[in-house]
Amino acid sequence: MQTIVEPKESQKAFNKNENIHLDVNMPGKLTVSIGEYSDKGRKEINQDFHGSYYPNDPLLTSKGITLAIADGINNSYISQVASETSVASFLDDYYCTAKTWAVKRSAELVLNATNSWLHAQSQKTQGNSDNDKDYVCTFSTLILKSTTAHILHIGDTRIYRLRGDKLEQLTTDHCLRVSDEISYLNRGLGIYSILDIDYQSTPIKVGDIFFMTTDGVYEHVSDEFIADTIKEHNEDLDLAAELLVEQAYQVGSTDSLTAQLVKIEGLPKKST
């Protein structure tokens, strides 16, 4: 791995993790390791935003562990506000929903509220000179609760799962591709007043590693490199995330760059 040749400013993520020193071998608990890294790359500002929340009980049992990632659209000079707002508000508001609500219901309620706010801000700029002032971003979240991963997704950020040697993309890009060089986002937070969210749930296993990233990374690194890097550095996920970002930068990415990783270290003995 070569050294980055240009100075770059790393983004501070929105993290509220309470279990940084938790024994990952604690029996009967959902336990994970998390690694994250983000950088503005060759852009003037970082339009990506990411964060995670690893709570103690009772929230760990009732709501789970949450990671979220967002990417502001390139043709708006304030889209980083949308990405930061979407992640920060989600990681706050999701945990304020009723503990008896299903993950899907809680998450969709929060995302619809955020979408309404972002869309309203964009509408205020319509018809004036600020045509490039839209509050629009992609958004993906991974919520780990008990023995299940819940995924909610809008846009072209991606969530992958590495299980053994198999790297699988779990999300679908919401893009209209015109050519190899040109594509348009057709779903995202803040674009329309009505939000269309992809939702899925999948069982998790000890050893599973989930990888969340923006297009500034995945468009420039191969699946083989992603899998090999994660496997080689699965005991230091912060380093793995940084190496994935650096590789994308080295091969020419001109976008903001973000990588998040979470490894399932332990699972409860039964669903709670």
Side-chain angles (χ1 to χ4, degrees):
M1 178 63 61
Q2 296 178 326
T3 303
I4 298 299
V5 294
E6 296 179 18
K8 303 184 278 112
E9 298 177 3
S10 294
Q11 172 217 37
K12 183 178 181 182
F14 184 86
N15 294 318
K16 303 198 300 174
N17 302 316
E18 299 171 357
N19 284 316
I20 296 298
H21 303 294
L22 181 67
D23 180 1
V24 297
N25 296 312
M26 183 181 296
K29 290 279 189 180
L30 170 63
T31 54
V32 306
S33 298
I34 296 173
E36 303 172 299
Y37 190 80
S38 185
D39 196 278
K40 68 182 179 65
R42 292 179 170 87
K43 284 187 170 292
E44 293 184 2
I45 57 173
N46 195 340
Q47 292 179 307
D48 295 349
F49 202 82
H50 71 287
S52 59
Y53 187 22
Y54 188 167
N56 290 313
D57 273 327
L59 286 179
L60 178 61
T61 298
S62 64
K63 308 303 284 188
I65 300 163
T66 303
L67 294 90
I69 188 169
D71 181 5
I73 58 172
N74 290 326
N75 62 344
S76 171
Y77 68 86
I78 48 80
S79 65
Q80 72 278 2
V81 177
S83 56
E84 180 174 353
T85 298
S86 65
V87 171
S89 63
F90 188 84
L91 293 177
D92 267 338
D93 296 345
Y94 168 73
Y95 288 92
C96 295
T97 58
K99 65 180 181 180
T100 56
W101 288 3
V103 169
K104 182 175 185 287
R105 180 184 180 188
S106 295
E108 287 184 342
L109 179 70
V110 174
L111 288 175
N112 276 291
T114 300
N115 182 72
S116 294
W117 186 85
L118 293 175
H119 181 69
Q121 304 314 303
S122 295
Q123 290 298 107
K124 291 178 182 179
T125 69
Q126 299 300 311
N128 60 32
S129 60
D130 290 329
N131 293 326
D132 56 354
K133 193 174 181 181
D134 286 331
Y135 293 76
V136 173
C137 65
T138 70
F139 182 89
S140 298
T141 184
L142 174 70
I143 302 171
L144 303 168
K145 182 182 176 185
S146 186
T147 58
T148 302
H150 303 263
I151 293 171
L152 292 96
H153 166 72
I154 313 105
D156 65 356
T157 42
R158 287 183 181 177
I159 299 178
Y160 296 80
R161 180 183 61 205
L162 179 65
R163 176 172 286 174
D165 293 327
K166 182 181 180 182
L167 182 70
E168 180 182 4
Q169 182 181 335
L170 300 179
T171 53
T172 299
D173 298 339
H174 299 143
C175 285
L176 175 63
R177 185 159 293 280
V178 178
S179 66
D180 290 340
E181 294 78 25
I182 301 175
S183 64
Y184 297 98
L185 191 70
N186 54 22
R187 283 164 65 180
L189 284 175
I191 298 179
Y192 305 112
S193 59
I194 303 299
L195 186 62
D196 186 8
I197 308 169
D198 284 357
Y199 169 81
Q200 61 177 295
S201 63
T202 183
I204 53 180
K205 296 181 178 181
V206 172
D208 282 351
I209 301 176
F210 292 88
F211 172 48
M212 303 170 64
T213 190
T214 54
D215 59 351
V217 175
Y218 69 70
E219 288 185 348
H220 298 273
V221 294
S222 67
D223 286 1
E224 181 181 6
F225 182 85
I226 292 170
D228 288 346
T229 301
I230 295 172
K231 286 187 291 184
E232 182 178 355
H233 301 285
N234 71 86
E235 298 301 322
D236 188 348
L237 295 180
D238 284 322
L239 176 59
E242 183 175 356
L243 291 174
L244 290 167
V245 165
E246 288 186 355
Q247 176 67 10
Y249 184 89
Q250 286 292 336
V251 299
S253 178
T254 59
D255 208 345
S256 301
L257 309 145
T258 302
Q260 287 181 288
L261 292 158
V262 56
K263 180 182 179 182
I264 309 302
E265 303 280 6
L267 291 173
K269 294 180 180 179
K270 60 180 180 179
S271 298
T272 55

